Amino acid sequence: MTPTPGAQALAWLHTARFLTTAPRLEHLPDHDLPEIAFVGRSNAGKSTAINTLTQQKRLAYASKTPGRTQAINLFSLGKQGVTDAVLADLPGYGYAAVPRQDKIRWQQVMANYLVTRANLRGVVMLCDPRHGLTELDDILLEVIRPRVEAGLHFLVLLTKADKLNRSEANKALSIAKLQTAGGEVRLFSALKKQGVEETALLLWQWTHAAGPAP
């Protein structure tokens, strides 16, 4: 039986391997491979989502002290060891225990990355639907809006969807779509594997000009 396109895309994501960590933008490698950035508040489930999509338990490190990870971590993607795309895991933002000056510095680093990274093809924002999009999420949306309007792909993943009933899920989707001005929004559950194949296929299409499944 031929695997579904979603299953094939997941097999592609399973090739993810650590590339480098960059505490500052100037430490990022200069390459022309398509890059996808994962962003979100601390505790939004970003590391869990990345690990679920790549089917690797410890690829993205979830710190026991949210917000303490202050570097951009890059992961290579591609079969037979040939890199054809890169995942960028940006630091979680908004956690109260991080000193204010560190928050400001990282907000500037992230904003600069999202605005200036030439090979950025798409942004995945992780959001806990029980709390909705916050003020910091809205600020990030405003930062990338010009690039989204110019063609940058953008997806909001409502994580931990297994904690919502159907009515709550539908309401969360509706609110998030309004807040993102009609942007693409999906429910995602690492526990129930909800939305996993669909998201994997989308990431493949973003980085391969919507070509056939891998």
Side-chain angles (χ1 to χ4, degrees):
M1 195 169 99
T2 305
T4 65
Q8 290 178 300
L10 278 173
W12 169 69
L13 282 172
H14 187 51
T15 66
R17 52 209 177 269
F18 179 75
L19 176 60
T20 190
T21 186
R24 297 184 180 276
L25 292 186
E26 56 265 30
H27 297 150
L28 288 169
D30 185 18
H31 61 77
D32 57 4
L33 294 166
E35 215 159 87
I36 297 171
F38 280 71
V39 300
R41 280 180 61 88
S42 300
N43 287 343
K46 180 166 57 68
S47 297
T48 300
I50 293 173
N51 290 340
T52 299
L53 286 164
T54 59
Q55 308 117 77
Q56 299 187 41
K57 290 183 178 179
R58 294 185 60 81
L59 185 73
Y61 177 66
S63 172
K64 290 180 181 176
T65 307
R68 286 295 186 193
T69 306
Q70 299 195 347
I72 297 172
N73 293 312
L74 299 185
F75 305 100
S76 300
L77 292 169
K79 295 183 176 180
Q80 280 83 49
V82 178
T83 302
D84 60 11
V86 172
L87 291 184
D89 180 13
L90 273 62
Y93 50 85
Y95 194 70
V98 178
R100 185 171 182 272
Q101 64 270 25
D102 289 346
K103 285 184 188 178
I104 293 171
R105 183 175 70 83
W106 260 109
Q107 285 166 12
Q108 291 171 339
V109 170
M110 287 175 62
N112 288 338
Y113 168 86
L114 293 167
V115 169
T116 65
R117 190 67 167 163
N119 53 321
L120 186 63
R121 292 290 180 273
V123 174
V124 180
M125 176 187 279
L126 290 299
C127 174
D128 186 333
R130 296 170 299 174
H131 307 304
L133 269 68
T134 65
E135 184 181 358
L136 286 173
D137 294 323
D138 288 337
I139 291 170
L140 190 143
L141 284 172
E142 286 305 310
V143 166
I144 66 171
R145 194 176 302 279
R147 291 197 72 174
V148 172
E149 290 172 352
L152 180 73
H153 298 292
F154 180 64
L155 170 68
V156 174
L157 279 187
L158 300 178
T159 58
K160 309 175 187 179
D162 50 279
K163 299 182 184 296
L164 305 177
N165 61 36
R166 182 171 293 183
S167 173
E168 291 168 336
N170 289 335
K171 183 179 179 181
L173 278 171
S174 298
I175 292 172
K177 284 176 181 175
L178 283 173
Q179 288 179 294
T180 58
E184 191 152 10
V185 182
R186 297 191 179 198
L187 294 166
F188 188 91
S189 168
L191 185 66
K192 299 288 181 68
K193 300 295 184 282
Q194 180 181 0
V196 174
E197 281 198 13
E198 297 88 342
T199 301
L201 184 58
L202 198 61
L203 300 187
W204 164 266
Q205 291 169 341
W206 285 2
T207 51
H208 295 80

